Amino acid sequence: MRADDPKAVSGQRGIMTKRLQLAVSTYSFHRFGSGPEGDALPALEAMIDRCAELGIDGIEIIGNHLTALGKTAPEEIRALKQYAARRGVAPVSVSAHHNFVQPDPTAREAELDKLVRWIDVAYELGAPFVRAFGGRWGTARSFDAYMAANGEEPPLPGYTLDDAYAWTVEAFRIAAYYAGRKGVTLALENHWGLTATAEGTLRIFNEVASPWLQLVLDTGNFIHTPDQYEEMRKMLPHLVLVHAKTYVGGSIYFGDFAIDYDRVAAMLREAGYAGYLSIEFEGKAMPDEGIAESVRILREAFGRQAGVA
């Protein structure tokens, strides 16, 4: 194999040059009423079809979308798995919606049950990952107030931040053991609350210390930090998935905010990341237009970094 062959191992770091693996989250099609598309939830099969039309390799499924569409029974999940396979679109993850920041042990157990149920769904679907969250106190009553406080919120009276991390770590240790028995990896996202910073996200990751708990980087969730790219960099060694937030038409929440994907691509390439880059479209354009434009933006940026643009 020639050194200049696109399939050859590149230079000093031994990173294989390969085609960018794109996925898309079902959130991109339905932003729970926040986008101009309103709150009409498309069929999952229609979302899969659109991925196939755009040459997108995989799809991430929001757990709440499955619930809203009544597709949580094992036979329905298997039928969806078959449909995706016939369209050549791989299930990448299912998102769980849980919060272990609960002083009441019974409430934490109920939240653990939620996560375990989504591990079972991912197993039936053939998705390698369940996207999981660190949780939050819920004492900031609005998103605007939360952002004004740089993603921080006070603990519930009588409790400390250390309490919240201890509850969360304990629950994730149990969940990671169960996930490992199913061959499913929990992917902990930097998603506000305890995981609003790389430090908080890594604290949970390091204290759980399980091979079945890894990280997913959301490129749009460090906007409140002094240096969002430095926060991203801290997470690079442990990534199994990357969320590429895109804002065609301007951000729904942050105006003209944009992410430098040439810079992100360079960071990921340097780290040797070769997994999925999953689009979470959060722009003001309609999803059909915004997702297609997001594909173009990301392919061009990552193509430039790979020297194939």
Side-chain angles (χ1 to χ4, degrees):
M1 184 178 288
R2 302 191 325 272
D4 61 348
D5 191 307
K7 296 181 180 178
V9 174
S10 66
Q12 300 175 348
R13 299 185 183 275
I15 299 170
M16 192 72 74
T17 299
K18 55 179 287 187
R19 187 176 70 87
L20 176 65
Q21 288 193 107
L22 282 179
V24 67
S25 170
T26 59
Y27 172 76
S28 300
F29 295 92
H30 176 263
R31 279 83 60 86
F32 300 98
S34 296
E37 70 276 10
D39 201 28
L41 179 57
L44 285 163
E45 291 82 359
M47 300 185 209
I48 290 169
D49 288 342
R50 186 59 175 150
C51 289
E53 291 166 6
L54 292 171
I56 294 172
D57 305 280
I59 188 165
E60 290 191 275
I61 299 178
I62 301 292
N64 287 346
H65 286 164
L66 282 170
T67 300
L69 292 168
K71 288 185 177 289
T72 56
E75 61 272 18
E76 292 166 323
I77 296 298
R78 293 171 196 145
L80 188 64
K81 176 182 178 180
Q82 182 190 67
Y83 189 88
R86 292 179 66 176
R87 299 295 283 139
V89 177
V92 174
S93 79
V94 175
S95 70
H97 300 273
H98 55 93
N99 181 11
F100 297 137
V101 185
Q102 311 278 350
D104 181 0
T106 302
R108 292 201 298 276
E109 185 174 324
E111 295 297 308
L112 181 59
D113 283 343
K114 290 181 186 178
L115 180 51
V116 164
R117 285 199 298 273
W118 289 114
I119 292 169
D120 289 340
V121 169
Y123 175 77
E124 291 288 351
L125 188 62
F129 308 122
V130 168
R131 185 163 61 104
F133 301 104
R136 54 177 289 193
W137 292 105
T139 51
R141 297 302 179 186
S142 73
F143 186 72
D144 288 343
Y146 188 69
M147 290 303 297
N150 291 323
E152 298 180 2
E153 57 183 356
L156 291 167
Y159 298 97
T160 68
L161 193 58
D162 286 338
D163 290 327
Y165 278 107
W167 301 329
T168 299
V169 167
E170 178 185 36
F172 268 123
R173 284 176 177 161
I174 297 168
Y177 174 78
Y178 183 80
R181 301 282 287 188
K182 294 284 190 175
V184 172
T185 299
L186 300 178
L188 177 65
E189 182 180 322
N190 56 306
H191 191 86
W192 315 112
L194 300 188
T195 55
T197 63
E199 179 184 8
T201 308
L202 288 166
R203 176 173 176 175
I204 296 170
F205 169 79
N206 288 325
E207 291 186 16
V208 173
S210 168
W212 297 102
L213 178 71
Q214 299 295 314
L215 302 182
V216 49
L217 169 64
D218 189 305
T219 58
N221 283 356
F222 284 137
I223 184 175
H224 60 290
T225 63
D227 186 341
Q228 61 180 334
Y229 298 100
E230 183 55 32
E231 292 294 301
M232 293 182 203
R233 191 179 300 279
K234 293 173 185 176
M235 293 178 60
L236 294 180
H238 312 293
L239 298 183
V240 292
L241 185 60
V242 174
H243 280 169
K245 279 275 175 51
T246 56
Y247 307 99
V248 178
S251 170
I252 292 172
Y253 300 110
F254 306 120
D256 293 331
F257 174 71
I259 295 166
D260 183 347
Y261 275 111
D262 284 276
R263 186 171 179 180
V264 172
M267 290 166 55
L268 293 174
R269 181 172 172 78
E270 182 179 359
Y273 178 77
Y276 281 99
L277 185 72
S278 184
I279 296 166
E280 279 197 336
F281 171 59
E282 206 168 73
K284 295 178 182 177
M286 291 292 286
D288 197 56
E289 172 195 347
I291 295 169
E293 179 64 7
S294 299
V295 169
R296 184 194 67 78
I297 290 168
L298 294 171
R299 282 182 175 155
E300 288 189 358
F302 281 75
R304 283 190 291 271
Q305 286 301 317
V308 296

